[in-house]
Amino acid sequence: MTLIAETAPTVFETVESEVRSYCRAWPTVFERATGSLLFDEHGRRFLDFFAGAGSLNYGHNNPALKRPLLDYLGSDGVTHGLDMSTTAKRRFLETFRSVVLEPRGLPYKVMFPGPTGTNAVEAALKLARKVTGRKTVVSFTNAFHGMSLGSLALTGNAGKRAGAGVPLTHTTQMPYDHYLGGRTPDFLWFERLLEDSGSGLDHPAAVIVETVQGEGGINVARAEWLRGLADLCRRRDMLLIVDDIQMGCGRTGDFFSFEEAGITPDVVTLSKSISGYGLPLSLCLFRDELDVWEPGEHNGTFRGNNPAFVTATAALDAYWRDTALRDRTLRRAAAVEAALSTLGAGTPRGRGLVWGLEFEDGERARAVCRRAFELGLLVETSGPRDEVVKLLPPLTATDDELDEGLGILARAVRHTA
């Protein structure tokens, strides 16, 4: 593929802030998108195995979601409603309860914080501290929970933490599953700190965990480890928060990524693909007895994104009233793992349709992503040194598209050897 170089500074370079990121890795101007495909303004076609950083599990402009959205807008449906009651919100809550919560026996109330993932995490932290009267929250090595200050305090990446500009307090990091290479029994260090009054660890209000660390490098926690963590939290009177912002909504197969482990967290955060269409929406779910909020105690102007309620409801109706999508995702996981294992380079790991290919250094992984872009595939890096090529194809990608994307990745790996 021949890439067309820009010869003069673009408006993105002259007006947009230097903080821009993804556009540097993919130097073109995208114009339209459908399903698993993006097209730039020159008509070049790209397979999207980035999927809006996991916000587009059902692909771009999915017709099953687009039609209800257009109908809603065409009928002058409420677009902005703060936390007022609307027909769109009612239908979403009724559908979420009947399709997601009740079949799984999950005793959750639904809170709409601000519209992004970090808003949901901030709400979870505030609630945990309010309920318990304690300040410390435990997170894990290589975790990523967001870029606002409370969420950033829980995040492991030194570069992201440095951007805070202020001390990040009231959090403690513990080793994630496999972090110590199996040399230490699970939670031995954590338990010892909790029971020793000389450890310096204040009794935590909560523990927050990702079942698969996406930004951290596609680190997959074992179901056994997650069950042990849930048991530890229960025995030591700490709330368990599962951050399912990127790995929820079917990314690992089940609707919630923690279902495989058979645990019921006290609090769950959702965002990214909960709207189904890439529209901003987040949820904070928690057990009924934890609902101690005073009216308006935590709020946000854009928590009433009614178009997102419409597309979220359509996604639940289209994909979660049966197990077809789940079953297909789990079946494809084996195919992706097999394809990555035959590359002869990098170490594959993942669950469902989130996979990483780890290289020894970040430069090789970045080179693979650059070459993949030149060949028509969007993938990004993750991990503390950008050493992991990360794959997040839409769950709705066809078998041919999945095969094509894996084939392009294989070529990119060979070309950068």
Side-chain angles (χ1 to χ4, degrees):
M1 176 185 296
T2 300
L3 297 178
I4 299 175
E6 298 281 359
T7 57
T10 68
V11 69
F12 306 110
E13 296 166 310
T14 58
V15 178
E16 190 178 2
S17 166
E18 291 298 317
V19 79
R20 65 192 187 278
S21 173
Y22 293 114
C23 58
R24 299 179 190 271
W26 302 320
T28 193
V29 179
F30 295 103
E31 185 173 56
R32 60 189 179 90
T34 180
S36 304
L37 302 175
L38 277 163
F39 299 86
D40 72 8
E41 60 185 352
H42 304 293
R44 291 172 295 185
R45 170 187 179 275
F46 296 85
L47 267 173
D48 185 3
F49 277 25
F50 171 67
S55 297
L56 295 164
N57 282 3
Y58 313 109
H60 295 271
N61 290 306
N62 187 314
L65 284 58
K66 181 167 65 175
R67 186 71 262 165
L69 176 60
L70 292 175
D71 290 345
Y72 183 77
L73 296 175
S75 64
D76 290 333
V78 173
T79 56
H80 180 272
L82 293 165
D83 70 348
M84 295 184 291
S85 298
T86 65
T87 55
K89 183 199 282 189
R90 179 173 60 198
R91 179 145 188 255
F92 169 73
L93 286 169
E94 290 172 345
T95 304
F96 190 74
R97 179 181 59 191
S98 64
V99 174
V100 175
L101 297 181
E102 289 180 344
R104 293 165 177 79
L106 295 174
Y108 293 146
K109 297 291 285 293
V110 178
M111 175 184 179
F112 301 104
T116 70
T118 197
N119 297 137
V121 171
E122 296 285 358
L125 299 181
K126 186 187 288 188
L127 180 63
R129 288 164 174 152
K130 180 178 174 65
V131 167
T132 65
R134 301 178 225 132
K135 296 178 181 178
T136 299
V137 175
V138 170
S139 59
F140 291 93
T141 50
N142 288 313
F144 178 81
H145 295 289
M147 297 296 277
S148 53
L149 290 181
S151 303
L152 197 56
L154 304 166
T155 292
N157 186 283
K160 291 182 172 64
R161 291 175 63 87
V166 297
L168 298 171
T169 60
H170 303 308
T171 62
T172 297
Q173 276 70 37
M174 291 290 168
Y176 192 71
D177 195 14
H178 305 297
Y179 186 77
L180 298 175
R183 295 186 299 273
T184 303
D186 294 343
F187 310 114
L188 176 66
W189 173 245
F190 197 173
E191 289 259 28
R192 183 73 179 113
L193 292 178
L194 288 170
E195 67 191 18
D196 182 4
S197 60
S199 70
L201 175 65
D202 294 329
H203 190 177
V207 177
I208 186 168
V209 67
E210 304 156 275
T211 66
V212 180
Q213 294 181 327
E215 295 301 309
I218 316 302
N219 304 310
V220 182
R222 293 167 293 143
E224 174 189 1
W225 187 85
L226 292 168
R227 287 192 289 270
L229 178 61
D231 178 67
L232 174 62
C233 288
R234 184 169 52 252
R235 288 187 289 104
R236 297 290 184 172
D237 187 30
M238 303 178 293
L239 297 180
L240 176 60
I241 305 169
V242 168
D243 181 341
D244 233 6
I245 288 166
Q246 189 168 82
M247 298 305 157
C249 301
R251 177 52 61 181
T252 63
D254 294 308
F255 186 86
F256 294 107
S257 69
F258 56 80
E259 291 183 57
E260 180 188 65
I263 63 174
T264 302
D266 299 296
V267 183
V268 180
T269 59
L270 286 175
S271 187
K272 291 193 182 285
S273 278
I274 188 60
S275 81
Y277 205 77
L279 299 175
L281 180 65
S282 74
L283 311 179
C284 187
L285 314 176
F286 39 82
R287 291 189 289 109
D288 183 70
E289 59 268 31
L290 302 179
D291 193 7
V292 297
W293 294 112
E294 296 292 333
E297 188 175 10
H298 186 88
N299 56 39
T301 302
F302 293 101
R303 65 196 184 278
N305 187 353
N306 283 260
F309 293 149
V310 172
T311 54
T313 302
L316 296 177
D317 282 334
Y319 294 106
W320 293 103
R321 290 193 177 276
D322 59 34
T323 65
L325 182 66
R326 171 193 180 274
D327 295 344
R328 191 168 89 160
T329 297
L330 294 177
R331 173 175 56 81
R332 288 166 146 198
V336 174
E337 182 176 20
L340 296 180
S341 298
T342 63
L343 295 181
T347 302
R349 56 176 178 260
R351 275 181 62 196
L353 281 180
V354 51
W355 284 86
L357 192 63
E358 182 185 20
F359 293 92
E360 291 186 1
D361 61 83
E363 183 50 46
R364 176 73 188 282
R366 288 188 291 270
V368 169
C369 290
R370 286 194 298 269
R371 184 58 178 149
F373 172 75
E374 293 168 358
L375 296 171
L377 175 69
L378 302 187
V379 286
E380 68 164 338
T381 59
S382 68
R385 296 175 289 109
D386 287 332
E387 75 277 19
V388 178
V389 175
K390 178 181 179 183
L391 282 73
L392 287 172
L395 307 183
T396 53
T398 66
D399 289 341
D400 287 343
E401 288 169 340
L402 195 60
D403 290 343
E404 180 186 356
L406 292 170
I408 293 174
L409 179 65
R411 289 167 58 195
V413 169
R414 289 196 302 270
H415 291 179
T416 57

